[in-house]
Amino acid sequence: LMISLLMKSMMDSPDPRVIMVGSVTGNDNTVGGGGVYPIADLHDLDGFKAGFENPVAMADGYGFIGAK
């Protein structure tokens, strides 16, 4: 859904691309998953509202936390 919503604005980009990253660490029904803190959470997408300006680096509106 998110990519679909971004498609129109991406078409105007000189080099549009979508990068998707996945991880089993947040999936508690797999061997490597669950129990990884802090738990990834998008909250209210405050990072998008803030435009990812420093110190906001994450979609949830908080600074960068590598484990997320």
Side-chain angles (χ1 to χ4, degrees), residues 40-54:
D41 187 343
L42 296 176
H43 293 278
D44 292 321
L45 299 177
D46 292 331
F48 288 94
K49 295 173 192 168
F52 294 96
E53 302 280 332
N54 269 337

Side-chain angles (χ1 to χ4, degrees), residues 9-44:
S9 62
M10 288 177 52
M11 290 171 42
D12 296 332
S13 174
D15 189 22
R17 60 186 67 210
V18 174
I19 299 171
M20 298 177 70
V21 179
S23 172
V24 299
T25 58
N27 188 353
D28 62 4
N29 66 353
T30 60
V31 171
V36 177
Y37 295 94
I39 301 296
D41 187 343
L42 296 176
H43 293 278
D44 292 321

Side-chain angles (χ1 to χ4, degrees), residues 3-14 16:
I3 294 168
S4 297
L5 295 174
L6 293 172
M7 288 297 288
K8 185 175 179 180
S9 62
M10 288 177 52
M11 290 171 42
D12 296 332
S13 174

